[in-house]
Amino acid sequence: MKKVLAAICFFAPLFSAAQTCKENFLGSKTLYNSQQLKYSAPPEGYLPVFINHVGRHGARHLTKDVNTSYIYQLLLTADSTNGLSAAGKLLKEKVLLLEKVEKKNFKSISLRGKKEQQGIADRMYNNNASVFSNAKPLLKISYTKEIRTLQTSDAFLSELKSKINEPVITSRINDTTLRFYDMSPAYDNYKDNANWLQYLQQLKAAVKYNEIAGQITQQFFTPSYFKNLTAKDQDKVIADLYGFITIFYSVQKEIEDAGFKIADADMQPFVTCAQLAVLGKIDNAEDFFAKGPATDVNGIQVKIALPLLADFINTTDEYINTKAVTAQLRFSHAETISPYASLLGFVQASATISAKKLNDIGKMWDAGKIIPLSANIQWILYKKQGSENYLIKFLLNEKEVAVKGLTTKTFPYYNWADVRSFYIKKMAGFNSTPSTDFVKYLQEVK
């Protein structure tokens, strides 16, 4: 540790540690904050009675051990042959420090992520107390096979259970509904071979990515060592470095708990704000094409979310028919939330773009606002006592949102019958219904 501190002090002039960059470069690693705190009053007499929720896991640690990264191996190899510059030696120390912090934590949510989920649960209860007013309310929980979604569920429930009377909780893994992107061969082909990969390369060329990658990478190595690194090598370095820079914000409490100063693990100062803006722009575009509306909001990257839409329709119907379940709470991933928001037609999440306007993606679609850490979508169902009519409100990251093609005179409250009809019709356009066999659907959809 003393060596790390000495290196930081000695090499501080090598980079602008005082720089403060706008954090919009974080994209999908943006820390979660509710996007709306004060809500429109429902029509007179209507109260919330049921909640359908799907959320991304909370702020997390890295998903792979630091020592398996390309940059880790390269720094150690270069150091063994005296190929590191002063900045490279400092970067190596920071990477080794991050490895110590992450060693037992990778794949898990962070302490920050736990707080994010507790905050969402707290606001869900406070804004919809009537939903949970019955004795022993039934909560149905589902999550994916990844440990971080179970941890997210536990964090969320730890707060909710402290507020409600003797909840009855059932839970299960449901990858068909929540990891649909892993079950479609056609989507795998889209990720690996579709035209969007060419568009991403065009964007990289337009923003001079290769030049920036070279500028960032060369500072870490001696000239003789750097000249042997290919553009592919440099790209791997940048991918890992960007990953470490963006995860830093999620694990600061763990850095302190490990006995380090937060700045000791901060790698952002090796990259200028302008360079970070470019890296963030590319990262946002990649999410837009791989997980968002891309150039076709009806494309494979969106319609794979139909199992989740069917589940929301079916569970809303189930509540209306039986009144048995108080809330359906699902915990998943960014790859779940983004295509679902596009499929639902949320205005800010479903705008497509032509290949001629790649530079404008960030103006139309912002991963930091659509799929930040702990991103969530909620359907809040409302009913008036003595009435058989139901209203529904849509929330994206706790913000009231509009749906393209769906009208209402009481925004943000929509008539449930209209909503149901709207989405059943949309499903029919994809040759599916709420009762479709979605395991088979995902295997066969093109």
Side-chain angles (χ1 to χ4, degrees):
M1 184 58 209
K2 290 180 180 179
K3 291 181 179 179
V4 174
L5 292 175
I8 291 172
C9 293
F10 185 79
F11 294 117
L14 292 173
F15 51 80
S16 53
Q19 69 175 350
T20 301
C21 303
K22 292 181 180 179
E23 293 181 15
N24 56 2
F25 69 84
L26 293 173
S28 63
K29 304 303 187 298
T30 299
L31 298 178
Y32 184 83
N33 287 292
S34 174
Q35 294 182 15
Q36 185 172 335
L37 296 175
K38 189 173 182 179
Y39 293 101
S40 307
E44 185 176 356
Y46 280 87
L47 291 174
V49 292
F50 171 69
I51 296 174
N52 239 326
H53 167 94
V54 60
R56 184 188 179 191
H57 57 76
R60 62 165 173 78
H61 294 273
L62 293 167
T63 55
K64 295 181 180 179
D65 201 336
V66 173
N67 65 19
T68 66
S69 66
Y70 179 82
I71 197 171
Y72 177 97
Q73 300 294 338
L74 182 62
L75 289 169
L76 265 61
T77 299
D79 193 37
S80 69
T81 59
N82 296 316
L84 289 183
S85 66
K89 290 177 181 179
L90 178 54
L91 176 62
K92 188 194 80 169
E93 295 300 325
K94 286 177 176 281
V95 170
L96 292 174
L97 186 154
L98 184 63
E99 182 194 21
K100 291 178 182 178
V101 173
E102 293 293 276
K103 190 68 178 176
K104 296 180 180 180
N105 293 315
F106 68 93
K107 292 190 176 183
S108 296
I109 66 169
S110 65
L111 294 171
R112 167 70 191 221
K114 182 177 180 180
K115 286 187 175 181
E116 288 175 348
Q117 291 297 316
Q118 290 172 333
I120 296 168
D122 178 63
R123 291 185 294 274
M124 176 182 284
Y125 176 83
N126 290 335
N127 293 324
N128 307 284
S130 58
V131 171
F132 305 99
S133 60
N134 294 335
K136 297 183 179 181
L138 176 57
L139 310 178
K140 284 196 173 182
I141 314 298
S142 55
Y143 43 83
T144 75
K145 62 185 178 182
E146 297 292 344
I147 186 64
R148 58 187 174 275
T149 60
L150 173 58
Q151 293 170 339
T152 297
S153 170
D154 289 344
F156 189 98
L157 287 174
S158 70
E159 181 66 24
L160 198 56
K161 286 191 296 185
S162 71
K163 298 177 178 298
I164 58 182
N165 183 34
E166 298 183 54
V168 177
I169 299 172
T170 67
S171 61
R172 67 182 181 121
I173 292 175
N174 188 350
D175 279 349
T176 302
T177 300
L178 298 176
R179 286 183 68 91
F180 44 75
Y181 50 89
D182 272 348
M183 300 182 66
S184 168
Y187 178 64
D188 285 340
N189 184 61
Y190 172 84
K191 284 192 301 180
D192 297 337
N193 302 303
N195 287 339
W196 74 268
L197 296 168
Q198 298 175 24
Y199 302 151
L200 193 65
Q201 291 305 316
Q202 291 173 22
L203 178 61
K204 285 184 173 182
V207 297
K208 300 182 179 179
Y209 167 78
N210 288 341
E211 181 179 324
I212 290 171
Q215 292 169 353
I216 296 171
T217 304
Q218 69 178 350
Q219 69 183 302
F220 303 126
F221 303 96
T222 61
S224 59
Y225 197 94
F226 175 73
K227 72 179 183 181
N228 293 316
L229 297 179
T230 65
K232 188 174 182 180
D233 294 327
Q234 294 170 34
D235 185 55
K236 291 178 181 178
V237 167
I238 298 306
D240 288 339
L241 180 60
Y242 181 74
F244 294 162
I245 289 172
T246 54
I247 209 68
F248 165 76
Y249 294 87
S250 293
V251 300
Q252 292 187 0
K253 186 64 169 65
E254 284 85 349
I255 294 169
E256 288 186 320
D257 288 350
F260 305 119
K261 292 181 180 179
I262 292 175
D264 296 346
D266 188 2
M267 301 179 208
Q268 179 180 324
F270 289 113
V271 186
T272 69
C273 294
Q275 291 168 336
L276 277 172
V278 170
L279 298 184
K281 187 170 195 172
I282 293 168
D283 184 64
N284 186 70
E286 186 168 358
D287 278 339
F288 172 76
F289 284 119
K291 308 179 183 81
T295 58
D296 180 8
V297 76
N298 295 319
I300 185 65
Q301 81 288 357
V302 172
K303 60 187 175 184
I304 52 172
L306 281 167
L308 185 53
L309 175 57
D311 193 47
F312 266 65
I313 293 171
N314 288 334
T315 50
T316 303
D317 283 345
E318 179 187 0
Y319 171 81
I320 291 171
N321 292 330
T322 69
K323 310 298 188 294
V325 180
T326 297
Q328 296 275 350
L329 306 171
R330 308 165 185 81
F331 301 92
S332 59
H333 306 270
E335 294 89 343
T336 311
I337 302 299
S338 180
Y340 187 46
S342 296
L343 180 65
L344 291 175
F346 289 168
V347 172
Q348 60 271 66
S350 55
T352 59
I353 199 166
S354 73
K356 296 180 180 180
K357 295 185 177 181
L358 300 177
N359 216 32
D360 294 334
I361 291 173
K363 298 176 183 177
M364 303 171 60
W365 193 91
D366 185 347
K369 293 181 179 178
I370 297 168
I371 47 171
L373 295 156
S374 288
N376 57 89
I377 292 171
Q378 298 178 37
W379 289 14
I380 314 294
L381 191 69
Y382 289 74
K383 187 176 185 296
K384 184 177 182 179
Q385 188 172 7
S387 170
E388 294 303 313
N389 188 53
Y390 288 87
L391 300 178
I392 197 162
K393 177 171 70 173
F394 302 98
L395 301 179
L396 173 60
N397 300 325
E398 301 178 80
K399 181 178 181 179
E400 296 167 343
V401 290
V403 175
K404 287 182 180 178
L406 189 59
T407 60
T408 179
K409 295 180 180 179
T410 56
F411 179 82
Y413 301 93
Y414 293 83
N415 187 288
W416 164 244
D418 294 340
V419 169
R420 189 181 190 281
S421 177
F422 178 81
Y423 286 127
I424 293 291
K425 184 176 180 180
K426 175 169 279 196
M427 295 188 74
F430 295 117
N431 297 315
S432 69
T433 72
S435 60
T436 291
D437 178 346
F438 282 103
V439 172
K440 182 178 180 182
Y441 169 86
L442 289 170
Q443 287 295 312
E444 296 178 353
V445 64
K446 301 298 182 184

